[in-house]
Amino acid sequence: MALERTLSIVKPDAVAKNVVGEIYSRFEKAGLKIAAAKMKHLSRKEAEGFYAVHRERPFFNALVEFMSSGPVMIQVLEGEGAVLKNRELMGATNPKDAAPGTIRADFADSIDANAVHGSDAAETAAVEIAYFFPSTDVYAR
Ligand code: RTP
Ligand code: MG
């Protein structure tokens, strides 16, 4: 497996629930290292730009509304197979389908308020990381 980086976001619902530390702990226990991090309240425009691939989808407005409803924690995770490893830790998009012990099973309330975002491939990870962090703000771990 290759050393990878992936973009992770703790969404507004999970920040509001005060479980950022519990979620970070799961990353660390799985061997993922935090290579960059910041808290940010996304504007509508920033949320639209980030989720631009979904702009034609019926849920786009709700998604943008939710992602700009409160501060999020944005981090770059680094480790062996980081993209897939993070997706496994997150669980399925809809918490009803998420495997027990995953972040979404434990902290998400609905398919909209689903606690975390994670890049879905190495290529999208590179684009998403650059959307939020200049390369000088990402640290090799
Ligand atoms: P994310 O991008 O946030 O990590 O989530 P994901 O890969 O698991 O799911 P994706 O298909 O990329 O969808 C992005 C977010 O849009 C919302 N969604 N709603 N109502 C629906 O059918 C629906 N489908 C997706 C979810 O909040 C999902 O996280
Ligand atoms: Mg996605």
Side-chain angles (χ1 to χ4, degrees):
M1 235 187 308
L3 188 66
E4 289 179 341
R5 286 176 176 169
T6 190
L7 188 87
S8 160
I9 301 178
V10 180
K11 294 187 179 184
D13 57 320
V15 172
K17 279 186 184 167
N18 206 27
V19 292
V20 171
E22 290 202 42
I23 292 172
Y24 271 33
S25 173
R26 292 178 185 218
F27 298 149
E28 292 176 349
K29 286 186 178 121
L32 294 173
K33 295 178 174 179
I34 294 160
K38 65 180 167 194
M39 184 171 272
K40 192 171 169 62
H41 191 147
L42 302 180
S43 67
R44 254 199 99 82
K45 271 210 149 39
E46 286 168 330
E48 281 171 2
F50 181 71
Y51 277 117
V53 292
H54 292 313
R55 66 184 169 276
E56 305 302 335
R57 311 284 287 277
F59 57 80
F60 182 68
N61 265 328
L63 176 60
V64 166
E65 195 68 38
F66 174 66
M67 288 301 289
S68 57
S69 67
V72 296
M73 273 303 295
I74 311 170
Q75 45 285 329
V76 176
L77 305 176
E78 185 176 274
E80 293 290 317
V83 173
L84 186 61
K85 196 175 270 184
N86 181 44
R87 297 291 301 196
E88 287 170 356
L89 292 173
M90 289 164 60
T93 307
N94 189 337
K96 290 192 181 110
D97 304 325
T102 60
I103 294 168
R104 281 167 167 166
D106 290 345
F107 301 119
D109 297 320
S110 66
I111 192 167
D112 297 306
N114 64 357
V116 280
H117 162 83
S119 307
D120 57 15
E123 301 72 44
T124 45
V127 174
E128 292 181 358
I129 290 167
Y131 189 79
F132 287 121
F133 295 101
S135 59
T136 48
D137 288 354
V138 183
Y139 295 92
R141 292 292 320 276

